[in-house]
Amino acid sequence: MTGSDIPSSFRLAYVPGVTPTKWVRVWHERLPDTPLELVRATAADAPGLLADGGADAGLVRLPVDRDVLAAIPLYTETTVVVIPKDHVATAAEELSLAELADEIVLHPLDDVLDWETLPGRPAVERPATTADAIELVAAGVGVLLVPQSLARLHHRKDLTYRPVPETPESRVALSWPRADEAPDLVEEFIGIVRGRTVNSTRGRAATPQRPTAKAKEKAKGNRAGTGGGQGGARHKPAAGRKSSSGGRAGGQSGKRSGGQSGQSGKRGKPRGR
């Protein structure tokens, strides 16, 4: 993309229980000039928000309408039951639905689990939100089945939770408005959540890395050694070694010249008498 084609920001919707922090941090490292705006949305409202253009992409709970939205499943959450800390069920590491059969199981209107048959005994009325249901659990009115991230989100000191393996599970996905090709910034975020490196051939073209000062100095030294090293070697042999040509030539020349000079001196100097 050219500079004029790059959007001024990227809007990412996310639903309760989903924590986009680590992906947002990587985004800021890779695209520091493109702000990422977080948009909170309920699990029920997030698909409509994306379809209406209220966000460029979103971390949502499945299912979504695949005719309208594209989606990449990211992970599946464990379902847990939220109970008071003094509940008898805390003695177990996990619980079955059969063990909850006599419990009042709260079913809030914003429940994200796809139940075919509701477990336990029904409450007199359904709480409006998961937060309201948590308050009722703390008051001893009943128990609540939710994805583990929501149990953590609504953590209270007087409550705890246990896994319930036989229950429906919630899947979290990255979703965006369906098109023939994902926009460049959406493709960037796809790469981040999938763990692609900054030099991956997919998505935005990799940005060339700038050489460090140490690398520049090393390259400069290599160029200097290549340009002048051979000339220096020809004119100045290494210490402790004789030149392959100069040493022999010098020695032979010295012997020849020295010897002849000595003889000539003897012939030219009269003997003492």
Side-chain angles (χ1 to χ4, degrees):
M1 291 188 296
T2 63
S4 59
D5 294 333
I6 300 176
S8 58
S9 65
F10 179 69
R11 297 164 301 168
L12 178 68
Y14 69 104
V15 299
V18 176
T19 306
T21 307
K22 62 179 180 180
W23 297 319
V24 172
R25 183 178 66 250
V26 176
W27 177 279
H28 289 319
E29 292 171 355
R30 295 188 185 180
L31 290 89
D33 297 328
T34 305
L36 187 152
E37 177 186 352
L38 290 174
V39 182
R40 296 182 64 178
T42 66
D45 293 341
L49 180 71
L50 293 174
D52 294 339
D56 300 299
L59 297 167
V60 304
R61 293 190 184 275
L62 295 176
V64 296
D65 186 348
R66 295 302 184 97
D67 292 332
V68 177
L69 301 175
I72 298 175
L74 300 179
Y75 57 89
T76 300
E77 288 200 67
T78 299
T79 299
V80 300
V81 58
V82 181
I83 52 180
K85 277 193 172 180
D86 58 359
H87 196 287
V88 65
T90 57
E93 292 185 359
E94 62 180 36
L95 298 171
S96 66
L97 285 178
E99 291 174 294
L100 300 176
D102 294 331
E103 298 284 348
I104 294 177
V105 178
L106 302 168
H107 187 217
L109 295 176
D110 63 355
D111 187 13
V112 297
L113 299 175
D114 186 17
W115 295 101
E116 291 185 4
T117 304
L118 292 175
R121 296 159 49 203
V124 175
E125 61 181 69
R126 296 179 64 182
T129 66
T130 297
D132 293 335
I134 290 288
E135 294 293 331
L136 293 174
V137 174
V141 174
V143 300
L144 175 66
L145 287 153
V146 290
Q148 184 169 322
S149 67
L150 290 180
R152 290 174 175 172
L153 177 65
H154 297 286
H155 170 72
R156 289 176 52 123
K157 292 182 179 180
D158 53 349
L159 300 180
T160 188
Y161 58 83
R162 293 291 185 270
V164 185
E166 302 170 358
T167 52
E169 296 173 321
S170 176
R171 292 186 299 159
V172 174
L174 174 62
S175 184
W176 64 94
R178 181 170 290 282
D180 293 337
E181 185 175 350
D184 286 351
L185 290 183
V186 172
E187 187 64 39
E188 283 285 353
F189 198 77
I190 292 172
I192 289 172
V193 299
R194 283 186 161 178
R196 295 179 198 157
T197 65
V198 69
N199 293 323
S200 172
T201 56
R202 296 194 61 180
R204 183 170 60 94
T207 302
Q209 296 182 351
R210 296 181 180 179
T212 62
K214 185 176 180 180
K216 289 181 179 179
E217 288 297 326
K218 184 176 179 181
K220 184 177 179 180
N222 290 340
R223 288 196 298 270
T226 303
Q230 294 177 353
R234 287 196 298 268
H235 295 290
K236 186 177 181 181
R241 296 179 61 188
K242 293 183 179 180
S243 169
S244 59
S245 58
R248 289 195 299 271
Q252 292 172 357
S253 175
K255 289 178 181 179
R256 286 196 299 269
S257 61
Q260 292 172 357
S261 175
Q263 291 173 0
S264 175
K266 288 179 181 181
R267 286 196 301 267
K269 181 178 181 181
R271 296 178 180 179
R273 292 177 182 178

